[in-house]
């Protein structure tokens, strides 16, 4: 009895370590890769391209990764992805010119694309048929959100204190801790059935929940793309800040604080999803976020701007939790691929939202960017109200 409880507790701790280590590398590196590329001799356009290479490679890599997770198993995929990432992150410190950095950046995306589908598939497998899937998923997503917050808020400080090379090596060790933790996690096996579904057949069977999950995450990340692609430019254009570094600092504070706000609500909304009480809340969150974000149109104080954006964390928690629960409704044989499609959807959302926001900032200023951030979130909350929440119990 005690051995079983200790084993379960050890596995939960291991999954928490994996969730944290498997995500912190991307959030940590996102804000420092461009200046590191410039330090190695890249021009500003080259630095932007090197930063974006991760997403470019991650789109096709994620689809292949999902199939791999479903074919060879979650545990092997997790271990390989974390091992690959650990080596690639260390390799950033070995790059001596922009070309070498480009190669490392592209290769890093391969391992990163594999980790998230494998990780969420493990959680989906272990909560199959459970009445508390939502709260468990929300709890592990809160670990992921914590990694995003810690990585994005600490990267500039750590690099300025320790330097790039030491930072990359520490990050590589964190990923190595995640790799070691995979040996504690057990592989869930599907009970014996006469005929196993193909990946495609499983996706078709659960197409309703999966499609809704993909749309919801796309809308959230399109909103996020609007935020990162337009807010800084709008602040500069309207004279609220005078330097790009200051604009980046405000944007970083908004993202970091919103992510921190989301952490407790990921579990709370997961708990509510288990009890079918999330439908009305989804509309309230959408309206609240719309109200607070649109209030930014009237403010010209930067501190107040950051505060008014903080309820955005509620939208992050609501949509992320609901989308993840929905894609995990894919059957065992297709679960990794479904999560991989979710990963592709969030990348595509940012890819579309960011350039649109640049145009909004240029022609409509802060008002246009605020609307661009708020409207996709509000649409997602309406979709959740109309059908998304109902799919959880279907």
């Amino acid at each position: 009895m005690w051995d079983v409880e200790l084993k379960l507790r050890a596995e939960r701790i291991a999954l928490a370590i994996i969730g944290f280590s498997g995500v912190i590398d991307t959030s940590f590196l996102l804000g420092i890769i461009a200046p590191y590329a410039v330090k190695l001799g890249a021009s500003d356009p080259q630095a932007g391209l090197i930063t974006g290479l991760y997403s470019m490679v991650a789109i096709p890599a994620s689809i292949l990764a999902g199939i791999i997770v479903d074919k060879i198993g979650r545990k092997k995929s997790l271990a390989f992805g974390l091992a690959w990432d650990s080596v690639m992150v260390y390799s950033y410190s070995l790059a001596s010119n922009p070309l070498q950095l480009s190669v490392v950046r592209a290769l890093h995306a391969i391992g990163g694309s594999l980790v998230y589908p494998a990780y969420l598939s493990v959680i989906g497998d272990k909560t199959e048929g459970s009445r508390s899937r939502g709260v468990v998923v929300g709890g592990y997503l809160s670990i992921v959100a914590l990694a995003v917050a810690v990585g994005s808020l600490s990267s500039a400080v750590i690099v300025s204190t320790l330097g790039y090379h030491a930072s990359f090596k520490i990050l590589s060790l964190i990923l190595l801790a995640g790799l070691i933790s995979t040996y504690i996690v057990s592989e869930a096996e599907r009970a014996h059935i006469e005929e196993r579904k193909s990946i495609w057949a499983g996706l078709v069977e659960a197409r309703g929940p999966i499609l809704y999950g993909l749309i919801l995450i796309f809308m959230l990340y399109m909103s996020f793309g609007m935020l990162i692609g337009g807010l800084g430019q709008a602040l500069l254009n309207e004279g609220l800040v005078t330097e790009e570094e200051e604009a980046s600092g405000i944007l970083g504070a908004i993202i970091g604080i919103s992510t921190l706000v989301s952490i407790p609500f990921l579990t709370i909304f997961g708990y509510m999803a288990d009890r079918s009480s999330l439908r009305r809340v989804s509309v309230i969150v959408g309206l609240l976020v719309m109200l607070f974000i649109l209030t930014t149109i009237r403010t010209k104080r930067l501190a107040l701007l950051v505060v008014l954006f903080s309820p955005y964390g509620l939208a992050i928690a609501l949509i992320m939790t609901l989308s993840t629960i929905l894609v995990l409704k894919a059957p065992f044989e297709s679960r990794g691929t479904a999560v991989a499609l979710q990963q592709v959807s969030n990348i595509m959302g940012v890819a579309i939202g960011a350039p649109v926001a640049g145009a909004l900032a240029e022609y409509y200023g802060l008002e246009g960017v605020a609307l661009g951030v708020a409207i996709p979130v509000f649409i997602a909350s309406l979709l959740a109200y109309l059908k998304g929440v109902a799919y959880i119990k279907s």
Side-chain angles (χ1 to χ4, degrees):
M1 179 67 177
W2 285 105
D3 288 344
V4 173
E5 289 183 3
L6 287 172
K7 186 175 181 180
L8 287 173
R9 185 176 299 178
E11 189 169 60
R12 292 189 193 108
I13 294 172
L15 284 171
I17 293 171
I18 292 167
F20 185 87
S21 63
V23 174
I24 194 171
D25 58 325
T26 52
S27 60
F28 186 96
L29 293 171
L30 188 61
I32 65 168
I33 283 299
Y36 183 57
V38 171
K39 180 180 175 68
L40 294 182
S43 63
D44 287 341
Q46 287 175 330
L49 177 61
I50 291 170
T51 302
L53 266 176
Y54 188 98
S55 295
M56 296 177 198
V57 175
I59 292 175
S62 292
I63 298 173
L64 179 60
I67 296 171
I68 291 172
V69 170
D70 286 327
K71 289 293 186 182
I72 72 170
R74 324 316 193 192
K75 185 170 180 175
K76 291 178 182 177
S77 300
L78 258 182
F80 180 81
L82 288 165
W84 182 282
D85 276 359
S86 181
V87 172
M88 288 302 112
V89 169
Y90 181 83
S91 298
Y92 281 107
S93 67
L94 304 178
S96 59
N97 57 61
L99 179 58
Q100 290 178 2
L101 183 61
S102 299
V103 173
V104 172
R105 185 70 172 158
L107 290 175
H108 181 200
I110 296 174
S113 299
L114 192 58
V115 170
Y116 195 68
Y119 178 65
L120 281 185
S121 294
V122 169
I123 296 167
D125 295 346
K126 293 183 179 297
T127 55
E128 182 87 60
S130 171
R131 294 183 179 180
S132 58
R133 169 177 273 186
V135 72
V136 174
V137 168
Y140 284 115
L141 286 177
S142 69
I143 301 295
V144 171
L146 178 63
V148 172
V150 171
S152 60
L153 291 173
S154 67
S155 58
V157 175
I158 292 175
V159 167
S160 64
T161 303
L162 302 177
Y164 285 107
H165 289 185
S167 300
F168 294 142
K169 291 170 184 176
I170 291 171
L171 204 55
S172 179
L173 289 174
I174 293 173
L175 284 159
L176 188 60
L179 170 61
I180 294 170
S181 297
T182 62
Y183 291 95
I184 300 174
V185 177
S186 60
E187 182 83 75
E189 295 290 346
R190 184 64 180 262
H192 175 72
I193 51 177
E194 292 183 3
E195 184 180 355
R196 293 175 65 88
K197 298 182 183 73
S198 67
I199 292 175
W200 175 250
L203 293 176
V204 171
E205 179 185 296
R207 61 188 178 277
I210 293 172
L211 181 59
Y212 250 80
L214 299 183
I215 293 172
L216 289 174
I217 206 72
F218 175 82
M219 299 305 293
L220 174 63
Y221 276 86
M222 184 167 71
S223 169
F224 186 68
M226 296 276 190
L227 180 63
I228 63 175
L231 183 64
Q233 183 180 338
L235 293 174
L236 286 165
N237 291 348
E238 298 198 6
L240 296 177
V241 297
T242 57
E243 297 180 351
E244 291 184 356
E245 291 80 4
E246 189 178 0
S248 297
I250 295 297
L251 179 59
I254 288 173
I255 294 172
I257 291 173
S258 297
T259 304
L260 288 173
V261 168
S262 76
I263 290 173
F265 286 98
L266 286 159
T267 304
I268 292 170
F269 289 150
Y271 177 86
M272 296 178 72
D274 290 331
R275 282 148 184 78
S276 302
S277 58
L278 200 56
R279 190 178 183 209
R280 190 174 298 173
V281 171
S282 65
V283 175
I284 294 172
V285 168
L287 288 171
L288 184 65
V289 172
M290 175 77 82
L291 174 64
F292 273 78
I293 290 179
L294 294 186
T295 306
T296 61
I297 294 172
R298 301 296 180 186
T299 183
K300 300 298 180 183
R301 295 170 58 188
L302 295 179
L304 184 58
L305 183 71
V306 173
V307 171
L308 289 172
F309 262 95
S310 60
Y312 189 64
L314 296 175
I316 294 172
L318 172 74
I319 301 171
M320 182 66 74
T321 302
L322 182 55
S323 171
T324 303
I325 293 171
L326 290 173
V327 298
L328 289 179
K329 290 185 76 68
F332 182 89
E333 295 84 357
S334 309
R335 191 163 288 141
T337 305
V339 178
L341 290 174
Q342 185 198 40
Q343 188 166 254
V344 170
S345 296
N346 67 46
I347 296 171
M348 292 299 297
V350 173
I352 292 172
V356 171
L360 290 174
E362 182 174 353
Y363 293 106
Y364 300 104
L366 186 59
E367 292 89 344
V369 174
L371 281 170
V373 174
I375 288 174
V377 166
F378 184 68
I379 292 173
S381 71
L382 287 180
L383 290 173
Y385 175 81
L386 293 172
K387 189 67 176 177
V389 173
Y391 267 129
I392 293 176
K393 294 298 181 182
S394 64

